[in-house]
Amino acid sequence: MKNLLKGAAVMAAVMIANLIVSIVCNMNGIELNSTVTGTVSAVSAILIYHGLTKNGKN
C-alpha cells in the first residue's frame, strides 16, 4: 500500500511539473510535441518511483 501511495505522489508531481512547463512554453509561444512530452513524463515518473522504492528496501 505504501508503494501505491508513493506512485500516486510521484505521478501527481510529474503531472504538476508538466503543467507548469506547458504553461510557460505556451506563454512564450513555444509549441510542445505531445508525443515527446508524454514519453518524457512517463519515463521520468518511472525513474523517480524506482529511486524512491529502491531506497526504501535498504
Side-chain angles (χ1 to χ4, degrees), residues 9-42:
V10 167
M11 197 60 212
V14 169
M15 288 177 60
I16 290 169
N18 192 15
L19 179 69
I20 292 169
V21 168
S22 293
I23 289 172
V24 170
C25 287
N26 284 338
M27 287 173 52
N28 292 324
I30 300 169
E31 187 173 331
L32 298 175
N33 186 353
S34 62
T35 305
V36 174
T37 305
T39 305
V40 169
S41 296

Side-chain angles (χ1 to χ4, degrees), residues 7 10 43-57:
V10 167
V43 169
S44 63
I46 290 170
L47 291 175
I48 293 169
Y49 174 76
H50 181 68
L52 287 175
T53 56
K54 180 179 168 186
N55 290 339
K57 290 180 181 176

